[in-house]
Amino acid sequence: MEIRVLEIIRQGEIGGGESHLLDLIRELKTKDIHITVVSFSRGAMTERLEAMGVPVFIVETSSAFMPAAMKAIKNIIRRERINIIHAHGSRAASNVAFVARMCNVPLVYTVHGWSFHQGQSALVYRLRMLCEKLICGCSSTVVCVSADNIESGRQAFGLKSAELIENGVNTEIFSPSRTHGIRSALGIGEDDCVVGFIGRMTLQKDPVSFLEAVKIANSRRPNIRGLLVGEGDMDDTVDKYIKEHLPQGVIIRSPFRLDIPEVLASVDIYSLCSLWEGLSIGLLEAMAMQKPVVVTPTDGSRTVIRDGENGFFVPFRSPAAMADCFIRLHDDKTLAAEAGRRAGQMVDARFNSRRVAEAVYDIYRKEVEC
């Protein structure tokens, strides 16, 4: 039986989940699979997919449950003769779970971090947890990208079963041998110690804590600067904070970029201060390039980081602790280099995108053979 897969994802710009999907499709194109993609917005990812010859449909959505979007997806499923749906993330899954049931098409749901998390009100937490439970109940296969995610699902709503397929990165692209950075183009001096934040400007990523940490670190080590790459619904908040609280030039601000390997080659430290994650692709990319990483203890991060060895944990929403860690790595170049080297070894041994594609392909084959 021919495998015709509909991959569904929330946004068309390139973030962690979108990089994951691009790598997955590149690997699966060598298999006997026909892939169609639905994205809820346009962006660099959809452009790259179209350049690869992958059929892409844009279905605009503004909420988790939109009847118009569900109708459009249902029509695509029928037109493209889809026999497997693979939803990446809760927004994608919430708009396709019932459609999959109606069309009698198996749904594979990859959890890139649960939509319920610490910091939400009790009501919001409960509603999102019930939504995740419902989506998982509609799914033939639930895929979690970290063992922490599986355990969180079990504790929150009794997740019965899930496949563990840890995220991976293309280690040929994200390689420590990549030395061509773009420091001069970004206005970074030779003596600057640059801390990189690469991701969406959203509550999840907590960019304001990063900015506060850079402010504290810069006041004690004036050559520490921050590089902020990405866009999102907190853009105005971020820009206002930079304008009101940081000296000019301390933060280098950039929108979404496609040259992330070059960006990573240009930073000295990578920071991820998310409030929740599945298993951050951006973190793995930085580790693959042997950057010392300073992260919060989210699901996924706890799986890959050995505190003080291949990375450094700081508490959630703790700019002072983060700043202390930036300064420690600034002052101790040997510590920073050794942590980066160990991080690279971890990713090279365990988190390769080719392994991810093989595991997903096995799930597809099982679904069509059932």
Side-chain angles (χ1 to χ4, degrees):
M1 181 178 180
E2 181 184 28
I3 303 177
R4 299 182 66 85
V5 183
L6 182 63
E7 306 279 354
I8 302 185
I9 195 161
R10 175 178 181 176
Q11 69 172 14
E13 292 293 354
I14 296 180
E18 293 72 33
S19 295
H20 168 87
L21 181 58
L22 280 169
D23 285 336
L24 178 64
I25 291 175
R26 286 193 192 99
E27 298 290 344
L28 291 178
K29 278 179 71 68
T30 65
K31 308 289 187 182
D32 54 336
I33 294 179
H34 180 276
I35 293 175
T36 301
V37 173
V38 165
S39 173
F40 296 162
S41 66
R42 295 187 182 277
M45 180 201 69
T46 59
E47 292 173 0
R48 286 190 178 185
L49 289 171
E50 289 169 339
M52 292 163 58
V54 177
V56 177
F57 294 87
I58 307 300
V59 178
E60 300 286 348
T61 67
S62 58
S63 63
F65 297 99
M66 287 191 63
M70 294 180 189
K71 181 179 179 180
I73 294 169
K74 184 178 180 180
N75 290 336
I76 293 168
I77 291 169
R78 289 175 172 172
R79 187 185 315 137
E80 296 294 311
R81 296 178 288 114
I82 298 299
N83 49 35
I84 294 177
I85 301 168
H86 188 172
H88 299 265
S90 57
R91 174 64 67 84
S94 63
N95 273 299
V96 78
F98 296 133
V99 178
R101 276 290 180 92
M102 286 188 290
C103 295
N104 196 29
V105 176
L107 173 63
V108 178
Y109 172 35
T110 292
V111 180
H112 292 283
W114 300 111
S115 59
F116 56 87
H117 54 84
Q118 56 90 26
Q120 293 172 329
S121 68
L123 177 60
V124 170
Y125 183 97
R126 179 70 177 170
L127 288 174
R128 291 198 176 186
M129 182 269 290
L130 290 173
C131 180
E132 294 283 7
K133 182 178 182 179
L134 183 61
I135 293 170
C136 290
C138 291
S139 302
S140 299
T141 302
V142 176
V143 176
C144 289
V145 298
S146 73
D148 289 335
N149 262 187
I150 294 177
E151 185 58 30
S152 295
R154 285 174 179 161
Q155 291 182 5
F157 61 88
L159 176 67
K160 293 181 179 179
S161 64
E163 297 282 342
L164 174 62
I165 303 179
E166 293 175 318
N167 280 335
V169 298
N170 187 326
T171 52
E172 294 180 6
I173 295 175
F174 292 92
S175 166
S177 63
R178 185 180 291 270
T179 57
H180 177 63
I182 50 175
R183 288 175 72 98
S184 60
L186 292 170
I188 300 170
E190 290 185 6
D191 296 330
D192 288 335
C193 176
V194 178
V195 185
F197 177 111
I198 304 170
R200 289 175 288 115
M201 299 299 117
T202 62
L203 173 66
Q204 175 192 357
K205 304 297 182 180
D206 194 17
V208 173
S209 286
F210 171 77
L211 294 173
E212 291 179 2
V214 173
K215 177 186 175 183
I216 296 168
N218 175 263
S219 70
R220 294 160 58 187
R221 301 291 188 277
N223 68 323
I224 292 181
R225 300 175 68 188
L227 173 59
L228 200 68
V229 178
E231 300 166 271
D233 54 26
M234 285 187 67
D235 279 341
D236 290 344
T237 301
V238 166
D239 290 339
K240 182 179 180 182
Y241 185 93
I242 293 172
K243 182 179 180 180
E244 294 181 354
H245 298 284
L246 283 153
Q248 187 173 5
V250 172
I251 296 293
I252 303 162
R253 183 88 156 88
S254 172
F256 278 114
R257 303 180 65 105
L258 300 181
D259 55 348
I260 297 303
E262 287 75 19
V263 172
L264 284 171
S266 303
V267 306
D268 300 287
I269 302 166
Y270 175 86
S271 176
L272 181 74
C273 43
S274 297
L275 302 180
W276 72 93
E277 291 282 354
L279 173 54
S280 168
I281 297 286
L283 171 61
L284 295 179
E285 290 170 348
M287 292 175 69
M289 295 190 68
Q290 297 190 7
K291 299 297 174 178
V293 298
V294 179
V295 302
T296 46
T298 61
D299 285 357
S301 295
R302 296 194 302 269
T303 300
V304 298
I305 297 301
R306 296 170 185 153
D307 191 28
E309 296 183 19
N310 66 351
F312 302 88
F313 281 131
V314 292
F316 296 105
R317 289 178 168 151
S318 299
M322 199 180 306
D324 286 343
C325 201
F326 295 164
I327 291 169
R328 181 184 177 193
L329 292 168
H330 167 279
D331 292 350
D332 193 337
K333 301 295 190 295
T334 300
L335 174 67
E338 184 61 18
R341 184 187 66 80
R342 289 174 176 165
Q345 288 178 336
M346 162 78 81
V347 173
D348 189 55
R350 181 171 161 187
F351 299 100
N352 190 291
S353 59
R354 186 169 292 110
R355 171 196 54 78
V356 174
E358 290 294 338
V360 171
Y361 177 71
D362 287 344
I363 288 175
Y364 292 171
R365 291 238 53 104
K366 290 176 184 176
E367 290 290 353
V368 298
E369 290 169 359
C370 287

